[in-house]
Amino acid sequence: MASNKIKINDIARLAGVSATTVSHIFNKRDKKYRISPQTRQKVLSIAQQYSDQPHIRQCIIKANSTDTIGVIVPDMSNMFFSLFLHHLEASFRQKNIQLLITCSHYNRDVEIKVAQNLVERKVDAMIVVTSLDSDQFYVGINEHTPVLFFDRYLKDTTLPFITSEAIKSVSELIEPYAKQLDEFYFIGCDIQLTSIRARLEGFKQGLAKAGLTFKSDWLVSDDYCPNKGYQLLKMVHEKLGRLPRAIFTPSGNLLQEVLSYLVEVKVEPKHICLCSYDYNIHLDYSYYPVDAITQDYQSMAYTCVNVINKLIKFKELKSNAFLIEPQIIRHR
């Protein structure tokens, strides 16, 4: 060959077929033009020998793509994940890519199993809200199927991740109220997760900026399960003999459960200050005013699409961390 760069005509000659046939195979038109599976396999096997050349590797990837992306979330009933999935599905649909959405139910064994199932279905890439403590499992998958972490990420991971900024926004959210109070409780769960730890760090910084010294008793946390926010607030109520003067919850689910307890004990809105991460439009009509941080679902979805597109095409990412700016919505 005159050049080291192999061309479609070269692969066609080596396979004993026409260049048009190779083009149909590379562009997934082989079934439309009734090209036999044997011919397809022969062409791709020859192309694989030259997969070190980027343009050939791209052709192989396109020929083998399933136009599906696997998504793993822990809880589809969680409003945050539901809204995110709504925007994510719409964004990928515009590119004629289908999502295969699975749920881990916060169970690590289930998460590993559903991830393996997605690999067996030959998804082109995976977007994962993980509950694992290490990225080792997904680093292995990433060798053949690109993996993008969403919302939660693992410390020191080399895999790319997308999440909302939390430290600065949470600090700004609570600071004005911390200046007026002598206590502020953090009712949270799963604080070992990086996303929750960032919200806790923002909470502490907001207190410090307001001149309020954080006390360990104000951090009330446990592993998450349904209705845990209700149980944690009830425990604090019984321990103090009164309700806290101010509460921050790091997620919408926990806020909903806290509100459920407040309604049950019939506390007056003026007697408690509520702040939370994860705004929901229902808060606009809540009996209890809640200042909340709303995440930019649309930007997060678009960023996921762009990053996945680059990962599939083996394009280099300038950074593996993508932090999306949220907004504060005040009701007080």
Side-chain angles (χ1 to χ4, degrees), residues 177 279-281 283-285 289-292 329-332:
Y177 302 115
Y279 162 81
N280 184 296
I281 192 171
L283 297 180
D284 293 349
Y285 314 103
V290 181
D291 283 7
I329 296 180
R330 298 195 183 274
H331 290 101
R332 300 179 70 88

Side-chain angles (χ1 to χ4, degrees), residues 286-298:
S286 173
Y287 176 63
Y288 294 96
V290 181
D291 283 7
I293 292 172
T294 180
Q295 303 189 63
D296 190 341
Y297 302 103
Q298 193 168 58

Side-chain angles (χ1 to χ4, degrees), residues 215-231:
K215 296 181 180 179
S216 58
D217 289 348
W218 296 348
L219 174 57
V220 184
S221 180
D222 201 349
D223 294 334
Y224 183 75
C225 64
N227 217 32
K228 180 58 71 172
Y230 175 99
Q231 296 168 11

Side-chain angles (χ1 to χ4, degrees), residues 25-259:
I25 292 170
F26 283 167
N27 289 284
K28 297 197 300 184
R29 295 195 296 261
D30 46 299
K31 290 184 179 180
K32 178 180 179 180
Y33 290 99
R34 299 182 180 180
I35 298 170
S36 71
Q38 293 81 5
T39 299
R40 180 182 189 277
Q41 184 58 44
K42 184 177 182 180
V43 168
L44 291 178
S45 295
I46 292 171
Q48 189 64 43
Q49 298 174 30
Y50 302 93
S51 60
D52 59 320
Q53 299 187 22
H55 68 295
I56 295 300
R57 184 167 66 242
Q58 290 300 316
C59 290
I60 296 171
I61 292 170
K62 185 173 183 180
N64 289 323
S65 67
T66 59
D67 293 328
T68 57
I69 303 295
V71 183
I72 303 176
V73 296
D75 181 4
M76 281 185 275
S77 69
N78 183 306
M79 185 64 69
F80 166 65
F81 295 129
S82 297
L83 289 171
F84 166 68
L85 290 172
H86 169 75
H87 288 283
L88 188 69
E89 191 278 332
S91 298
F92 274 112
R93 182 162 25 90
Q94 291 178 357
K95 294 184 175 294
N96 295 316
I97 294 176
Q98 182 180 3
L99 299 186
L100 295 181
I101 303 171
T102 59
C103 190
S104 67
H105 303 286
Y106 301 97
N107 185 304
R108 298 174 185 179
D109 293 334
V110 171
E111 180 181 334
I112 290 173
K113 184 174 182 178
V114 297
Q116 292 170 334
N117 288 341
L118 289 172
V119 171
E120 290 174 3
R121 289 177 177 269
K122 299 185 183 302
V123 295
D124 296 332
M126 292 170 56
I127 299 171
V128 182
V129 182
T130 186
S131 296
L132 303 186
D133 296 327
S134 166
D135 66 357
Q136 183 177 0
F137 171 71
Y138 287 110
V139 167
I141 289 179
N142 190 64
E143 292 180 0
H144 48 80
T145 304
V147 175
L148 171 64
F149 286 138
F150 176 75
D151 184 50
R152 305 169 183 178
Y153 56 95
L154 298 168
K155 186 179 180 182
D156 300 325
T157 184
T158 58
L159 299 177
F161 62 88
I162 296 172
T163 190
S164 289
E165 188 285 325
I167 296 177
K168 179 172 70 71
S169 55
V170 172
S171 175
E172 292 176 356
L173 173 70
I174 71 165
E175 182 183 356
Y177 302 115
K179 289 179 178 178
Q180 308 168 26
L181 299 164
D182 57 2
E183 68 177 16
F184 215 128
Y185 276 72
F186 184 104
I187 306 291
C189 288
D190 298 331
I191 61 171
Q192 77 280 2
L193 299 175
T194 48
S195 55
I196 304 300
R197 292 198 69 82
R199 295 167 196 181
L200 176 58
E201 178 60 28
F203 175 79
K204 291 180 178 179
Q205 287 191 15
L207 296 183
K209 288 180 180 178
L212 191 59
T213 302
F214 173 76
K215 296 181 180 179
S216 58
D217 289 348
W218 296 348
L219 174 57
V220 184
S221 180
D222 201 349
D223 294 334
Y224 183 75
C225 64
N227 217 32
K228 180 58 71 172
Y230 175 99
Q231 296 168 11
L232 291 177
L233 181 54
K234 182 178 180 181
M235 179 185 71
V236 173
H237 191 181
E238 293 173 349
K239 181 179 179 180
L240 294 177
R242 60 173 175 80
L243 286 167
R245 294 181 178 87
I247 296 172
F248 171 82
T249 55
S251 73
N253 272 17
L254 287 166
L255 173 64
Q256 181 178 325
E257 293 159 4
V258 163
L259 289 172

Side-chain angles (χ1 to χ4, degrees), residues 71 85 266 275 303 322:
V71 183
L85 290 172
K266 297 186 171 83
C275 295
T303 304
F322 298 84

